[in-house]
Amino acid sequence: MTAPGTAAPVLPPEQGRAVIDPASYAQWDGLLDLFDRLREEAPVARVESPDGIHPPFWLVTRYYDVMRISKDNATFLNNPQTVVFSLTEGIEFAKSLTGGSPHLVASLVTFDAPIHMKYRKLTQEWFMPKNLRGVEDEIRTLAQATVQRLVDAGGDEGAGETKVVDFVKLVSAPYPLHVVMQILGVPEEDEARMLMLTQQMFGGQDEELSGSGMAAMTPDQITQLVAGAVKDFEAYFARLTAEKRAHPTGDVASTIANATVDGEPLNDRDMMGYYIILAAAGHDTTSASTAGAMLALARDPEQFARVRADRSLLPGIVEEAIRWTSPVQHFMRSAAEDTEVGGQKIAKGDWLMINYVAANHDPAQFENPRRFDASRHPNRHLAFGAGAHQCLGLHLARLEMRILFEALLDRIESVELAGEPARAKSTFVGGLKTLPLRFVAH
Ligand code: HEM
């Protein structure tokens, strides 16, 4: 594992490929086995690409190191290079569209101090638990409607055969999208369009899931599609901004539309970035942890019965589902100066992958980490990150999940797995793409 002439451990090509291949993330146990080995043998390892398909980076797998990097926002920056692992081709593509920036969209995750905090502060208050109480009832209405659709599709209301339903399609995918669109003030009839635009812009790696058709396109066609999506987004949000300036409501879009930074209103690119980061960050992530929680409950009928009888167990289930699924699988950082991580010398400008899946399965922090254990305490997982960029929507994510499971437990008496669930092929946001279930409702 050691590169000739240096002490840095370089991953053998097949392991390096596994780390960057979206398909490996669909083979969860194999991936966790690899991370177990790396945490032991090469916790800070160099991933190189002999054919240059991606820039070299350091893969960081231990909980302690991921936590340390996340919290040291002066040494480990977000802005210099892409914050999500990208192939060289993708980075060049973004630069060609933006006129030199590797970030297709400028947003909170791509900013560093001091700009980052100025932008984050604009909506931070809005996402605090105290303020979210004001949207709880709206979220509950969405949760109950979603559960009703599930019951209509497959619930055995006392007679006949139960049907097999896909929990992802009926519940965990649409529900967080409805919630985030509602808080953004996007009317329901525009949701499908918003979803399509985010998928076109971020090019879902799992073709079956995103249905973006990108796999069959030439690079030119993809450029046109993405450039078109950016324009379409801009036009959409320009209209929404004008409306929210003329008639501000209490939603987060009104907060952004009427915000100022250093006394100036946000420019169009920054405003669009804000809307897009919220729209994109807020749904696939919560979908994945919601589906994970359901999988854990479906596999353990006793746990399901316990939480039906005692709802105080729900927060523990929600938190453990977020750790156990780790929907955001990594973020990238760039070293601002020469430094050291886990005994490895890191040079100024080096790119690092902080891997949340690996960190959240580190046995030094979590006993028996592959086990779903709702009574885990403390459960200081890193699924929401840490430090200055820690997830802005973490209270919202927990709240939506709790409200959804309350609505589910009110209606569903028992549930069982009705087939093998499948995971998405994705290096970035991952999780279940199908979860076949059979359930009894009342
Ligand atoms: C950032 C995870 C739900 C909005 C992040 C980060 C992670 C993450 C790992 C980066 C943290 C870091 O760099 O230290 C998750 C997970 C979720 C979830 C696992 C669900 C279970 C949401 C929701 C929203 C949201 C519901 C809002 C609608 C954001 C935003 C950022 C962010 C705006 C950027 C914050 C910044 O850079 O300052 N999230 N997220 N997330 N998340 Fe979430």
Side-chain angles (χ1 to χ4, degrees):
M1 274 203 192
T2 303
T6 74
V10 177
L11 285 196
E14 73 282 4
Q15 289 187 353
R17 270 196 300 276
V19 173
I20 64 151
D21 182 0
S24 330
Y25 293 74
Q27 307 295 328
W28 195 237
D29 279 325
L31 185 77
L32 296 183
D33 291 344
L34 172 63
F35 290 150
D36 282 349
R37 266 188 70 185
L38 293 179
R39 259 188 260 98
E40 284 288 313
E41 294 170 12
V44 180
R46 192 110 177 119
V47 184
E48 294 181 346
S49 161
D51 44 9
I53 65 160
H54 65 81
F57 63 92
W58 294 94
L59 170 65
V60 183
T61 46
R62 281 189 181 157
Y63 177 90
Y64 175 84
D65 294 329
V66 172
M67 175 72 95
R68 205 202 107 202
I69 293 173
S70 303
K71 286 189 159 175
D72 184 352
N73 303 102
T75 311
F76 301 99
L77 301 176
N78 284 33
N79 186 259
Q81 300 173 73
T82 61
V83 283
V84 173
F85 170 77
S86 310
L87 299 177
T88 309
E89 193 185 54
I91 298 169
E92 292 311 317
F93 171 57
K95 285 182 178 168
S96 71
L97 278 187
T98 58
S101 165
H103 312 296
L104 208 48
V105 175
S107 76
L108 285 184
V109 273
T110 68
F111 296 153
D112 290 313
I115 316 169
H116 171 252
M117 205 25 95
K118 290 184 185 176
Y119 278 80
R120 188 170 161 118
K121 265 185 11 210
L122 301 176
T123 56
Q124 192 152 264
E125 195 59 35
W126 200 95
F127 284 99
M128 293 310 274
K130 196 165 148 236
N131 188 61
L132 290 175
R133 264 179 235 132
V135 289
E136 259 196 64
D137 286 346
E138 282 173 60
I139 297 179
R140 188 163 294 109
T141 305
L142 290 173
Q144 286 166 344
T146 307
V147 171
Q148 186 61 51
R149 274 196 295 275
L150 176 76
V151 171
D152 291 345
D156 170 13
E157 299 203 26
E161 279 283 290
T162 49
K163 279 186 246 147
V164 175
V165 293
D166 180 5
F167 184 80
V168 172
K169 195 163 156 213
L170 284 168
V171 178
S172 63
Y175 166 69
L177 181 71
H178 292 323
V179 173
V180 81
M181 290 297 148
Q182 182 127 343
I183 64 159
L184 265 178
V186 172
E188 200 174 334
E189 62 269 21
D190 294 341
E191 275 183 19
R193 180 160 164 227
M194 285 293 108
L195 184 63
M196 198 181 73
L197 285 176
T198 33
Q199 283 169 348
Q200 286 174 348
M201 274 190 74
F202 298 111
Q205 289 171 321
D206 193 309
E207 190 56 40
E208 193 191 341
L209 200 62
S210 76
S212 62
M214 281 188 185
M217 290 186 188
T218 63
D220 264 8
Q221 285 171 323
I222 294 178
T223 313
Q224 275 174 24
L225 183 79
V226 175
V230 172
K231 278 220 162 60
D232 207 359
F233 247 126
E234 262 162 357
Y236 184 88
F237 282 119
R239 270 198 308 279
L240 192 72
T241 304
E243 203 181 297
K244 301 286 174 186
R245 281 182 179 160
H247 310 286
T249 51
D251 57 29
V252 85
S254 299
T255 308
I256 299 168
N258 295 290
T260 54
V261 167
D262 295 334
E264 297 289 328
L266 270 56
N267 66 38
D268 286 352
R269 179 164 152 84
D270 289 347
M271 184 114 58
M272 189 182 78
Y274 222 127
Y275 291 130
I276 293 176
I277 179 81
L278 293 177
H283 66 90
D284 279 2
T285 49
T286 317
S287 302
S289 48
T290 302
M294 194 70 228
L295 172 63
L297 289 174
R299 275 183 180 160
D300 185 348
E302 276 173 29
Q303 177 159 243
F304 187 82
R306 269 200 310 279
V307 64
R308 270 197 89 217
D310 178 2
R311 303 294 168 90
S312 72
L313 300 174
L314 253 185
I317 289 181
V318 165
E319 211 54 45
E320 177 66 344
I322 295 169
R323 179 199 70 87
W324 193 62
T325 51
S326 296
V328 176
Q329 299 173 152
H330 79 268
F331 261 113
M332 306 297 290
R333 295 289 191 266
S334 303
E337 57 197 52
D338 290 353
T339 182
E340 166 280 322
V341 178
Q344 292 302 325
K345 284 199 166 66
I346 307 293
K348 179 177 175 174
D350 278 2
W351 207 29
L352 300 100
M353 174 185 278
I354 42 176
N355 197 294
Y356 301 120
V357 176
N360 282 338
H361 288 83
D362 185 342
Q365 179 67 20
F366 303 100
E367 200 185 317
N368 202 351
R370 294 194 200 189
R371 196 175 115 83
F372 184 95
D373 178 2
S375 63
R376 216 175 264 288
H377 188 76
N379 191 355
R380 291 198 195 96
H381 63 75
L382 279 165
F384 289 124
H389 290 275
Q390 190 181 40
C391 180
L392 185 68
L394 62 87
H395 301 298
L396 175 64
R398 289 175 176 142
L399 180 74
E400 313 178 28
M401 286 180 68
R402 179 172 59 73
I403 291 177
L404 177 77
F405 280 96
E406 279 167 1
L408 271 166
L409 293 167
D410 284 347
R411 301 291 306 278
I412 291 180
E413 285 172 20
S414 65
V415 61
E416 62 179 18
L417 263 185
E420 267 309 299
R423 295 187 59 89
K425 294 178 191 154
S426 165
T427 51
F428 181 40
V429 177
L432 296 180
K433 64 176 174 182
T434 57
L435 176 57
L437 294 179
R438 233 184 247 113
F439 64 90
V440 176
H442 67 264

